[in-house]
Amino acid sequence: MRGLFIVLEGCDRAGKTTQTQLLQKFLQARDRTCELAKFPDRTTSLGITINSYLQGSQALSDQAIHLLFSANRWELIDSLESKVKNGVNLIVDRYAYSGAAFTSAKGLDIDWCKSCDKGLLKPDLVLFLDTSNKTMSKREDFGAEVYENLEFQSKVREQFHLLKDDSWKIINASGTIEEVQAEIQTHVLTLLNQDSYAPIQRNLWCGNV
Ligand code: 2DT
């Protein structure tokens, strides 16, 4: 049986990293092979350029950085797909939804933003960790990277909500770490308990799916 392809999305400081790690432990405790991945993957040569942009040491146009984020997914998708097909449950911290939400929050056309990732692997489940502006402002200080300020993050949140589809579950991320993880586990268990899964497909944002 193939693995599941689960994506965690959300604004900065929503707790994605902590929650992906806890979810991995949860799956491993049930004897499931489980790996974590993260976008951007800053280890590739494209990822190194993305990292310099995020840290403010390299200027790029909004279009150019968007295409690099997308290319960073396309360069890794074969390896992620083969893992899933070989039974690895993959938990991915950010995916194409971050791509479209962050770039369209700068004012670029959302359909153009989505078109670059059209045909990527479609996740089985997208867990969107939703944080209100009030909660976001109470979390520890944003860091020094280019997008880390409250005003921009609240625009990003609005854009994320335009991207919801049938694979999405909205998680209230204002609760405690344990409460949020419990809600996540409920959705993942529903999938795990299925006897079989439809084949994973490269049909993200293709037609009605
Ligand atoms: P992390 O803090 O999670 O490393 O993200 N971003 C991310 C985009 O603008 N487009 C994308 O396609 C992706 C995956 C979100 C670094 C920042 O990069 C943004 C925050």
Side-chain angles (χ1 to χ4, degrees), residues 12 38-40 42 54 69 73 93-95 98-99 102 145 147-148:
D12 289 15
K38 175 171 180 23
F39 287 110
R42 303 186 195 215
L54 289 170
F69 274 117
R73 285 183 280 280
D93 184 345
R94 292 196 191 280
Y95 194 53
S98 276
F102 277 75
E145 293 204 330
Y147 300 135
E148 298 187 351

Side-chain angles (χ1 to χ4, degrees), residues 5-10 14-29 32-39 89-95 125-129 171 173 177-178 180-182 184-185 188:
F5 179 30
I6 300 171
V7 168
L8 270 83
E9 281 284 10
K16 289 182 303 302
T17 307
T18 307
Q19 295 298 339
T20 49
Q21 288 164 354
L22 290 172
L23 183 56
Q24 182 183 33
K25 284 195 188 136
F26 172 76
L27 288 169
Q28 287 172 339
R32 308 279 177 148
T33 315
C34 179
E35 289 185 25
L36 302 182
K38 175 171 180 23
F39 287 110
N89 293 285
L90 212 57
I91 306 172
V92 182
D93 184 345
R94 292 196 191 280
Y95 194 53
L125 178 64
V126 179
L127 297 158
F128 179 70
L129 301 197
I171 310 289
I177 290 176
E178 294 75 20
V180 174
Q181 181 61 203
I184 288 175
Q185 289 176 3
V188 172

Side-chain angles (χ1 to χ4, degrees), residues 130-201:
D130 199 16
T131 31
S132 66
N133 292 346
K134 203 171 144 209
T135 313
M136 267 196 279
S137 66
K138 277 197 228 146
R139 300 248 155 133
E140 56 193 91
D141 285 347
F142 284 111
E145 293 204 330
V146 289
Y147 300 135
E148 298 187 351
N149 69 78
L150 196 54
E151 196 190 340
F152 185 69
Q153 293 290 325
S154 73
K155 275 195 211 149
V156 171
R157 176 173 178 246
E158 280 172 29
Q159 296 308 108
F160 266 127
H161 279 277
L162 300 177
L163 296 167
K164 281 181 265 185
D165 64 28
D166 59 338
S167 59
W168 277 48
K169 299 288 176 203
I170 310 279
I171 310 289
N172 174 6
S174 307
T176 63
I177 290 176
E178 294 75 20
E179 285 164 350
V180 174
Q181 181 61 203
E183 207 177 328
I184 288 175
Q185 289 176 3
T186 307
H187 294 301
V188 172
L189 268 180
T190 306
L191 275 182
L192 281 182
N193 289 336
Q194 289 179 9
D195 295 331
S196 64
Y197 308 133
I200 186 117
Q201 288 191 60

